[in-house]
Amino acid sequence: EGKFKIDKNKPVEEAALDFIDRHRNAFGLQYAKKEFKLSEKKHRSSYCDAFIHYQQIYNDIPIWGKVLTVHQNKDQDIDLIISGNIPTPNIDTTPLITAEEAIGFAKEDLNIPADVTLWHANAELMIFEDSLTYKVELNDWLYFIDAKNGNIIDKENMIIYD
């Protein structure tokens, strides 16, 4: 937290990444410009001019739940960086199973026959807890399936009760 000067001749999204990259050691990063992608920018709140959210990635694969947020003040400077990132991982990002196989493992865990078509089945390659996984959304379930061996790393029922 403080007042961090940025290059005002660049778009704030780019200037903020330049700043983070210059201080990458403090964030545990190897090369910030390759490890973050812009995920959202919101303007004007009661205490800042813009929120800029970057999703942390590794080899273009999102890292689950790892977001870095930059607050830009009304003077167009950065006044707060909320670091939700992890140090640059060092893992092999080549999956050994397919997205379809990952969905099959989740269906098997839920005792859903392989030939049943679901209203929502999606798999996305993701880094979760230092492992290459598929984030599988299967109806109301969220799974993290190891992309190397098909093991279930985590699962959660996403039904929200009042």
Side-chain angles (χ1 to χ4, degrees):
E1 189 171 2
K3 189 170 186 178
F4 309 107
K5 297 285 186 189
I6 59 172
D7 184 349
K8 293 180 185 166
N9 295 319
K10 293 183 177 181
V12 67
E13 301 87 358
E14 185 180 337
L17 271 183
D18 285 347
F19 175 86
I20 293 162
D21 194 53
R22 281 194 311 274
H23 302 281
R24 65 184 167 272
N25 290 338
F27 294 96
L29 303 169
Q30 291 178 3
Y31 190 64
K33 291 182 180 183
K34 289 185 177 181
E35 296 184 56
F36 290 101
K37 73 174 186 179
L38 182 67
S39 62
E40 181 180 28
K41 180 178 178 182
K42 293 182 179 180
H43 291 281
R44 303 209 190 274
S45 74
S46 60
Y47 58 94
C48 74
D49 193 52
F51 290 99
I52 305 155
H53 301 283
Y54 300 93
Q55 170 66 55
Q56 188 176 10
I57 58 175
Y58 179 69
N59 289 348
D60 293 322
I61 299 170
I63 301 174
W64 175 255
K66 302 305 175 193
V67 176
L68 187 134
T69 301
V70 174
H71 291 211
Q72 181 186 27
N73 64 27
K74 300 200 184 316
D75 295 327
Q76 307 299 306
D77 292 315
I78 295 171
D79 62 359
L80 179 64
I81 298 173
I82 302 170
S83 175
N85 68 289
I86 59 172
T88 303
N90 184 20
I91 64 169
D92 178 15
T93 55
T94 306
L96 298 180
I97 67 169
T98 66
E100 293 77 21
E101 289 172 315
I103 290 170
F105 289 125
K107 285 174 79 171
E108 182 180 315
D109 184 66
L110 292 172
N111 295 315
I112 298 171
D115 60 343
V116 172
T117 302
L118 302 170
W119 62 269
H120 180 73
N122 181 48
E124 175 187 5
L125 205 54
M126 177 98 30
I127 295 171
F128 177 77
E129 296 184 356
D130 297 325
S131 296
L132 183 66
T133 66
Y134 283 101
K135 179 184 84 168
V136 176
E137 297 174 23
L138 198 64
N139 287 357
D140 295 321
W141 286 89
L142 176 65
Y143 277 82
F144 290 93
I145 307 288
D146 190 302
K148 300 293 186 182
N149 58 29
N151 290 339
I152 296 170
I153 295 175
D154 195 17
K155 68 178 181 181
E156 183 176 339
N157 189 320
M158 300 303 290
I159 295 176
I160 299 172
Y161 298 97
D162 287 332

